[in-house]
Amino acid sequence: QVQLVESGGGSVQAGGSLRLSCRASGDTYRSRCMGWFRQAPGKEREGVVRLYIGSGATYYADSVKGRFTISQDNTKTTLYLQLNSLKPEDTAMYYCAAEFVLGYCSRGPAEYRYRGQGTQVTVSS
C-alpha cells in the first residue's frame, strides 16, 4: 500500500500560481505511475497529468498544458504540481494518485488505486 498526503492548495486570483505537494509513504517503490486529478463541485473527475515513474514520461490534459508542470523529488517520495497562469475554471479539489500496475496507468490518475484526501484550489476572477 501507499499513503498520499497533499498540501499547498489555497485561494489565488486569476493569473496567480500555486505549488501543490504530495508526500508518499509506504510501498512507494511499487508505484509505476503517479499523477494528479481534480474535481469541481457538480462535475466529473478530470485527469490533470500522469507521470510514468520508470521513463519519466508525462501526459497533460489539454486544459492545463503549458500552465501546469509535474515533478518529483530525487527520493521519489514527494510529487509536485506547479500551477501557473491559474484561471477560475481551475477551481477544484486536487488529488494525488498512484498506481502499482503499469497496464492501468493509461486509464488516468482519476482511476488509480491509491489517492490522497485532496487539497482545495480556488481561483477568483
Side-chain angles (χ1 to χ4, degrees):
Q1 291 188 353
V2 64
Q3 294 77 43
L4 303 169
V5 179
E6 302 95 334
S7 61
S11 297
V12 297
Q13 291 191 328
S17 297
L18 285 171
R19 189 174 83 153
L20 308 184
S21 298
C22 171
R23 188 177 76 250
S25 60
D27 297 332
T28 58
Y29 68 95
R30 297 181 62 185
S31 295
R32 295 297 174 261
C33 54
M34 296 185 71
W36 294 87
F37 69 94
R38 64 188 180 185
Q39 188 167 24
K43 294 188 177 181
E44 294 187 357
R45 293 175 298 178
E46 177 190 14
V48 174
V49 58
R50 66 183 188 268
L51 164 70
Y52 286 77
I53 303 302
S55 67
T58 57
Y59 297 87
Y60 291 88
D62 289 341
S63 58
V64 306
K65 215 172 278 185
R67 300 188 299 121
F68 292 7
T69 303
I70 191 171
S71 62
Q72 198 172 30
D73 72 344
N74 291 336
T75 67
K76 299 189 185 301
T77 57
T78 303
L79 191 71
Y80 301 100
L81 185 65
Q82 180 68 40
L83 289 66
N84 295 331
S85 302
L86 282 161
K87 305 175 181 180
E89 51 264 42
D90 294 319
T91 295
M93 187 72 81
Y94 283 71
Y95 298 87
C96 173
E99 177 57 61
F100 288 173
V101 181
L102 183 61
Y104 291 169
C105 290
S106 61
R107 297 179 176 180
E111 304 300 325
Y112 292 172
R113 180 174 181 178
Y114 300 102
R115 64 187 63 171
Q117 83 289 348
T119 186
Q120 177 68 38
V121 172
T122 303
V123 185
S124 58
S125 57

